[in-house]
Amino acid sequence: MMDVSQLISFDRINAAIPNAAVVERRLSHLRGVFADPHAYAGALEQGDPLVYSVASVEPAGGEGDLHYGIGKIMPGRVGQEYFLTRGHFHQWRPAAEIYIGLTGSGVMLLEHEQTRRAYSVDLLPDSVVYVPGHTAHRTVNVGDAPLTYLGIYPARAGHDYGALEERNFAQVVVVQDGRPVVLDREHFLASLPILR
Ligand code: MN
C-alpha cells in the first residue's frame, strides 16, 4: 500500500502515478455504451483498441479521506461518437468530485439522477469541473490527442455503473462537419440511416 502522505509525482502525459492500480478499458469492454450499434460492431471488426485507462490511488482509511485518480482517454471515435468513459454515479450519491484537466480537449456529460437535467461542460487543461452529488458523469475526448485529467473524490464515494446500463446518458458527443457537438441521444439515433 502506498503512503499517500508522501509527495507523489504523476506523469500528466502518460497519466501515470507510481504504484497506483490501473484499470484499462478496451473497445470490447464497452458494449452497449456507444449510441450506434452498427458502428460499434464495425469498429470491433477492425480491432480492439485501448479506449481509456484510469490510475487510482484509493488507500483504505477513514470515511473522511479523499481518493484520486488520473484518467486518460485515447483520441478516436466509434462512427460519429467520440471515445468516452463508461460513466457512473457514485455509490454514495451525495459524493461530489473535482475534475482538473491536464492535457488535451474534452467534454464532460453530466446528468442529475432525479431531475434528469442533462448538461455538458468543457474539460480543458488547467481548468476545474465541479461534479455535484447525485450526478452521473462521463468524460469524452473531443480532440486528436490523448485527454488526461485528475479526479478527486471522497473515499466513501464508490462507483455505480449499473444504474446507467439500461438508460445510458441522455446526450451524446458526436462529430458534425468536423467539430464536436452535443446532441440528445434520441435525436442522434433518429438521424442514423435505418438500413445499412
Ligand atoms: Mn466519479
Side-chain angles (χ1 to χ4, degrees), residues 28-106:
S28 59
H29 298 131
L30 299 172
R31 186 169 296 282
V33 171
F34 291 94
D36 182 344
H38 185 271
Y40 179 77
L44 262 189
E45 279 174 23
Q46 304 300 309
D48 190 16
L50 179 67
V51 176
Y52 68 93
S53 63
V54 182
S56 302
V57 179
E58 299 186 334
E63 67 172 19
D65 288 354
L66 295 172
H67 285 167
Y68 66 95
I70 296 190
K72 176 182 188 175
I73 309 179
M74 303 309 290
R77 290 198 309 262
V78 169
Q80 288 171 253
E81 192 174 15
Y82 292 94
F83 277 9
L84 44 65
T85 61
R86 265 177 90 184
H88 59 268
F89 285 103
H90 291 143
Q91 229 156 27
W92 182 51
R93 291 292 196 273
E97 182 163 2
I98 293 285
Y99 274 71
I100 301 169
L102 299 175
T103 70
S105 180

Side-chain angles (χ1 to χ4, degrees), residues 146-169:
L147 174 75
T148 66
Y149 52 91
L150 183 65
I152 306 164
Y153 46 98
R156 63 179 285 199
H159 292 83
D160 177 359
Y161 297 98
L164 285 160
E165 242 155 48
E166 281 176 30
R167 79 173 209 228
N168 214 326
F169 282 70

